[in-house]
Amino acid sequence: MTSTERTRYHVGNREIGLDVEYRVECIGTLDEAREWLRADVEAVAEDVEDPSPFDAFLDILDDAEIVGEHHIDVFVFFVQAVEDCGCPCDCAERGEKCDGEHRREAAAEPQLSDADDKGRSTFQFDGAEYAVFNTTDKAVDEDWAVAKVPTEGPALPSRDCLLAGASTRDNAFALAVEKLRPTRLITFMPPHSNSFLDPREEREAEEYPQVAADGWVCAWPTEGYAVLFENGEVRAHIYPGRPVEVSVARAEGGGFDDLDGEWRFVETAALAARAHVLDARD
């Protein structure tokens, strides 16, 4: 079976207890990530009094599992495996065509703020603000929710609620980030449902979404399933549930094939379907 993962690697370092000071690289292959990690360790070793712990790490680097954190002296060197991270590139600014494979700067990881006096925390994701809060007046388990903070006007539950019913504040934050990551690569249209009170002509016109926009778009004909498009062409059907189910359009001959996997969100399922389609072309 074709893999549904298109993994890249975020490579960087920081001093223990401090934030990352320098650029974190987003790299396409594990071999390149290993070489970047080596260069990071060598550069830091040049500025310390005792380089022996760094040299010892470099001696075993070629045969070591590099994904994870590596503590050397007062530094942490890390390699994070990130599935379809969607980190931005500067190809447009440099007047180049993006091939999607080059090294680029890793997008900053969202950070959850400390809770205010009402137990509400916030975080930023790609320029938007999200609030993590308990739907009761107390920190009750299974009642944590996440909603987008509107730039103007009141919050609307049907539009702004990202998820609800999470077990803890930290779990709500982690689930929200998991659900948001695919939006860097796919445009998700809001859920749509037809009403039997609408005229039949209107219901039939919206029975199947028509997406003409370039790129990857996920749209809803009804609340029953979503359709993933690439440049206006149907690539997959996604069915909400526990777990979410995915059927991917065949490249030739028509029809759909079920995609193996378990996903909690339509967004992550759409990302897996996109990866499957792209991997099949490699």
Side-chain angles (χ1 to χ4, degrees):
M1 171 182 288
T2 303
S3 169
T4 62
E5 294 187 0
R6 301 178 67 82
T7 304
R8 291 181 68 86
Y9 300 92
H10 292 181
V11 187
N13 70 82
R14 59 181 172 82
E15 288 191 54
I16 295 173
L18 299 180
D19 293 333
V20 173
E21 182 178 1
Y22 301 105
R23 168 173 166 152
V24 177
E25 294 295 320
C26 177
I27 295 174
T29 70
L30 196 58
D31 286 342
E32 289 178 286
R34 190 183 302 274
E35 290 310 306
W36 194 271
L37 175 62
R38 178 184 296 279
D40 267 359
V41 174
E42 290 175 343
V44 174
E46 292 178 356
D47 297 326
V48 299
E49 292 184 5
D50 180 12
S52 56
F54 299 84
D55 294 338
F57 177 78
L58 292 171
D59 287 342
I60 65 169
L61 181 56
D62 287 341
D63 299 317
E65 169 59 55
I66 65 169
V67 175
E69 293 189 348
H70 309 279
H71 294 247
I72 308 175
D73 196 35
V74 296
F75 295 90
V76 177
F77 298 86
F78 58 85
V79 178
Q80 299 169 339
V82 183
E83 181 183 337
D84 256 331
C85 60
C87 293
C89 68
D90 58 359
C91 286
E93 288 80 357
R94 291 186 284 110
E96 299 179 6
K97 183 177 180 180
C98 179
D99 62 8
E101 301 297 330
H102 60 275
R103 183 180 299 124
R104 48 194 186 254
E105 184 174 4
E109 287 296 310
Q111 302 293 324
L112 186 63
S113 70
D114 293 333
D116 61 18
D117 56 358
K118 296 182 179 179
R120 179 178 179 272
S121 301
T122 60
F123 67 93
Q124 301 282 332
F125 191 94
D126 289 355
E129 184 178 21
Y130 295 84
V132 182
F133 58 95
N134 202 276
T135 54
T136 70
D137 292 332
K138 301 177 181 179
V140 178
D141 288 351
E142 312 301 333
D143 281 324
W144 289 95
V146 179
K148 186 177 182 180
V149 178
T151 54
E152 58 183 28
L156 300 176
S158 60
R159 181 193 66 191
D160 300 312
C161 186
L162 190 64
L163 61 89
S167 57
T168 65
R169 177 189 286 107
D170 288 343
N171 188 42
F173 169 61
L175 291 174
V177 172
E178 178 183 337
K179 192 173 182 181
L180 285 167
R181 285 194 191 282
T183 64
R184 289 174 169 166
L185 297 167
I186 302 171
T187 299
F188 291 89
M189 306 299 290
H192 170 78
S193 61
N194 291 321
S195 170
F196 287 107
L197 298 178
D198 294 336
R200 180 176 179 180
E201 293 78 9
E202 292 182 14
R203 298 202 308 270
E204 291 179 349
E206 296 181 345
E207 186 172 309
Y208 200 83
Q210 301 299 316
V211 173
D214 289 340
W216 292 85
V217 180
C218 190
W220 297 77
T222 71
E223 291 182 348
Y225 70 103
V227 182
L228 180 65
F229 295 86
E230 180 193 17
N231 300 327
E233 297 294 327
V234 176
R235 298 302 183 209
H237 289 167
I238 303 165
Y239 302 90
R242 296 177 180 270
V244 178
E245 297 180 354
V246 178
S247 294
V248 178
R250 298 187 188 119
E252 298 179 1
F256 289 78
D257 292 319
D258 292 340
L259 187 64
D260 289 341
E262 292 189 1
W263 303 277
R264 287 179 287 200
F265 304 116
V266 166
E267 289 84 355
T268 49
L271 190 65
R274 174 185 179 276
H276 178 89
V277 172
L278 294 176
D279 282 345
R281 298 173 186 168
D282 291 346

